[in-house]
Short mmCIF file of all heavy atoms in Angstrom, two decimals:
data_model
loop_
_atom_site.label_atom_id
_atom_site.label_comp_id
_atom_site.label_asym_id
_atom_site.label_seq_id
_atom_site.Cartn_x
_atom_site.Cartn_y
_atom_site.Cartn_z
N LEU A 318 10.42 32.54 29.44
CA LEU A 318 10.80 33.21 28.20
C LEU A 318 9.63 33.99 27.62
O LEU A 318 9.77 35.13 27.19
CB LEU A 318 11.32 32.18 27.20
CG LEU A 318 11.88 32.74 25.88
CD1 LEU A 318 13.08 33.64 26.14
CD2 LEU A 318 12.26 31.60 24.95
N HIS A 319 8.46 33.35 27.64
CA HIS A 319 7.22 33.97 27.17
C HIS A 319 6.98 35.29 27.91
O HIS A 319 6.71 36.33 27.31
CB HIS A 319 6.07 32.99 27.40
CG HIS A 319 4.73 33.48 26.92
ND1 HIS A 319 3.56 32.84 27.24
CD2 HIS A 319 4.36 34.54 26.18
CE1 HIS A 319 2.54 33.49 26.70
NE2 HIS A 319 3.01 34.52 26.05
N TYR A 320 7.13 35.26 29.23
CA TYR A 320 6.88 36.43 30.06
C TYR A 320 7.84 37.57 29.68
O TYR A 320 7.42 38.71 29.48
CB TYR A 320 7.05 36.07 31.54
CG TYR A 320 6.97 37.27 32.46
CD1 TYR A 320 5.74 37.80 32.87
CD2 TYR A 320 8.14 37.91 32.89
CE1 TYR A 320 5.68 38.92 33.69
CE2 TYR A 320 8.08 39.02 33.71
CZ TYR A 320 6.85 39.53 34.11
OH TYR A 320 6.79 40.64 34.91
N TYR A 321 9.13 37.27 29.60
CA TYR A 321 10.11 38.32 29.32
C TYR A 321 9.92 38.90 27.91
O TYR A 321 9.98 40.11 27.71
CB TYR A 321 11.53 37.79 29.48
CG TYR A 321 12.03 37.84 30.90
CD1 TYR A 321 11.87 36.77 31.76
CD2 TYR A 321 12.66 38.99 31.40
CE1 TYR A 321 12.33 36.81 33.08
CE2 TYR A 321 13.12 39.06 32.71
CZ TYR A 321 12.94 37.96 33.54
OH TYR A 321 13.39 38.03 34.85
N LEU A 322 9.73 38.02 26.93
CA LEU A 322 9.59 38.51 25.55
C LEU A 322 8.33 39.35 25.37
O LEU A 322 8.36 40.37 24.68
CB LEU A 322 9.56 37.32 24.57
CG LEU A 322 10.86 36.54 24.43
CD1 LEU A 322 10.69 35.42 23.42
CD2 LEU A 322 12.02 37.46 24.02
N CYS A 323 7.26 38.94 26.03
CA CYS A 323 5.99 39.65 25.85
C CYS A 323 5.92 40.93 26.67
O CYS A 323 5.01 41.74 26.50
CB CYS A 323 4.82 38.73 26.19
SG CYS A 323 4.58 37.43 24.94
N ASN A 324 6.89 41.12 27.56
CA ASN A 324 6.95 42.37 28.32
C ASN A 324 8.12 43.24 27.87
O ASN A 324 8.60 44.10 28.61
CB ASN A 324 7.06 42.06 29.82
CG ASN A 324 5.72 41.64 30.41
OD1 ASN A 324 4.87 42.47 30.69
ND2 ASN A 324 5.52 40.33 30.54
N THR A 325 8.58 42.99 26.66
CA THR A 325 9.66 43.77 26.05
C THR A 325 9.13 44.38 24.76
O THR A 325 8.32 43.76 24.07
CB THR A 325 10.87 42.86 25.74
OG1 THR A 325 11.31 42.25 26.96
CG2 THR A 325 12.01 43.64 25.13
N GLN A 326 9.57 45.57 24.44
CA GLN A 326 9.12 46.22 23.20
C GLN A 326 9.42 45.33 22.00
O GLN A 326 10.54 44.86 21.82
CB GLN A 326 9.85 47.55 23.01
CG GLN A 326 9.40 48.66 23.93
CD GLN A 326 10.19 49.94 23.64
OE1 GLN A 326 11.42 49.91 23.53
NE2 GLN A 326 9.50 51.05 23.52
N ARG A 327 8.40 45.11 21.17
CA ARG A 327 8.60 44.27 19.99
C ARG A 327 9.68 44.83 19.08
O ARG A 327 10.46 44.08 18.49
CB ARG A 327 7.29 44.15 19.20
CG ARG A 327 6.30 43.20 19.83
CD ARG A 327 5.08 43.09 18.98
NE ARG A 327 3.91 43.03 19.84
CZ ARG A 327 2.67 43.10 19.39
NH1 ARG A 327 2.44 43.26 18.12
NH2 ARG A 327 1.66 43.02 20.22
N ARG A 328 9.71 46.14 18.95
CA ARG A 328 10.69 46.78 18.08
C ARG A 328 12.12 46.39 18.49
O ARG A 328 12.98 46.13 17.65
CB ARG A 328 10.52 48.30 18.15
CG ARG A 328 11.57 49.09 17.37
CD ARG A 328 11.47 50.58 17.68
NE ARG A 328 11.67 50.86 19.09
CZ ARG A 328 12.86 50.90 19.68
NH1 ARG A 328 13.95 50.65 19.00
NH2 ARG A 328 12.96 51.19 20.97
N LEU A 329 12.36 46.33 19.79
CA LEU A 329 13.68 46.01 20.32
C LEU A 329 14.10 44.59 19.92
O LEU A 329 15.23 44.36 19.48
CB LEU A 329 13.64 46.14 21.85
CG LEU A 329 14.94 46.37 22.62
CD1 LEU A 329 15.72 47.54 22.04
CD2 LEU A 329 14.63 46.60 24.08
N ILE A 330 13.17 43.66 20.07
CA ILE A 330 13.47 42.26 19.73
C ILE A 330 13.70 42.13 18.22
O ILE A 330 14.65 41.48 17.77
CB ILE A 330 12.34 41.34 20.20
CG1 ILE A 330 12.27 41.36 21.75
CG2 ILE A 330 12.56 39.91 19.70
CD1 ILE A 330 11.09 40.65 22.33
N LYS A 331 12.84 42.77 17.43
CA LYS A 331 12.97 42.68 15.97
C LYS A 331 14.29 43.28 15.49
O LYS A 331 14.92 42.76 14.57
CB LYS A 331 11.80 43.39 15.29
CG LYS A 331 10.49 42.62 15.39
CD LYS A 331 9.35 43.38 14.74
CE LYS A 331 8.05 42.59 14.83
NZ LYS A 331 6.91 43.36 14.26
N GLU A 332 14.72 44.37 16.11
CA GLU A 332 15.99 44.99 15.71
C GLU A 332 17.19 44.15 16.13
O GLU A 332 18.25 44.20 15.50
CB GLU A 332 16.09 46.40 16.32
CG GLU A 332 15.15 47.40 15.67
CD GLU A 332 15.22 48.77 16.33
OE1 GLU A 332 16.02 48.93 17.29
OE2 GLU A 332 14.50 49.68 15.89
N LEU A 333 17.03 43.37 17.19
CA LEU A 333 18.14 42.56 17.69
C LEU A 333 18.32 41.26 16.89
O LEU A 333 19.44 40.75 16.78
CB LEU A 333 17.91 42.22 19.18
CG LEU A 333 19.04 41.47 19.89
CD1 LEU A 333 20.30 42.34 19.99
CD2 LEU A 333 18.60 41.02 21.28
N LEU A 334 17.25 40.75 16.32
CA LEU A 334 17.29 39.44 15.65
C LEU A 334 18.40 39.32 14.60
O LEU A 334 19.04 38.26 14.52
CB LEU A 334 15.93 39.11 15.03
CG LEU A 334 14.81 38.77 16.03
CD1 LEU A 334 13.52 38.45 15.30
CD2 LEU A 334 15.21 37.62 16.95
N PRO A 335 18.64 40.35 13.75
CA PRO A 335 19.70 40.18 12.75
C PRO A 335 21.06 39.82 13.33
O PRO A 335 21.85 39.13 12.69
CB PRO A 335 19.74 41.55 12.05
CG PRO A 335 18.35 42.08 12.20
CD PRO A 335 17.89 41.61 13.55
N LYS A 336 21.36 40.25 14.56
CA LYS A 336 22.65 39.92 15.16
C LYS A 336 22.76 38.43 15.49
O LYS A 336 23.86 37.89 15.60
CB LYS A 336 22.88 40.74 16.44
CG LYS A 336 23.23 42.18 16.14
CD LYS A 336 23.89 42.86 17.31
CE LYS A 336 24.49 44.18 16.85
NZ LYS A 336 25.13 44.95 17.91
N TYR A 337 21.62 37.78 15.69
CA TYR A 337 21.62 36.36 16.08
C TYR A 337 20.97 35.49 15.01
O TYR A 337 20.71 34.31 15.26
CB TYR A 337 20.89 36.20 17.42
CG TYR A 337 21.63 36.86 18.56
CD1 TYR A 337 21.41 38.20 18.87
CD2 TYR A 337 22.60 36.17 19.29
CE1 TYR A 337 22.12 38.83 19.89
CE2 TYR A 337 23.32 36.80 20.31
CZ TYR A 337 23.07 38.13 20.60
OH TYR A 337 23.78 38.75 21.60
#
Side-chain angles (χ1 to χ4, degrees):
L318 185 61
H319 182 191
Y320 173 83
Y321 275 92
L322 292 181
C323 289
N324 283 281
T325 301
Q326 286 180 313
R327 283 183 219 171
R328 175 190 59 79
L329 202 52
I330 295 172
K331 287 178 179 177
E332 289 178 0
L333 185 66
L334 288 181
K336 285 200 167 178
Y337 294 88

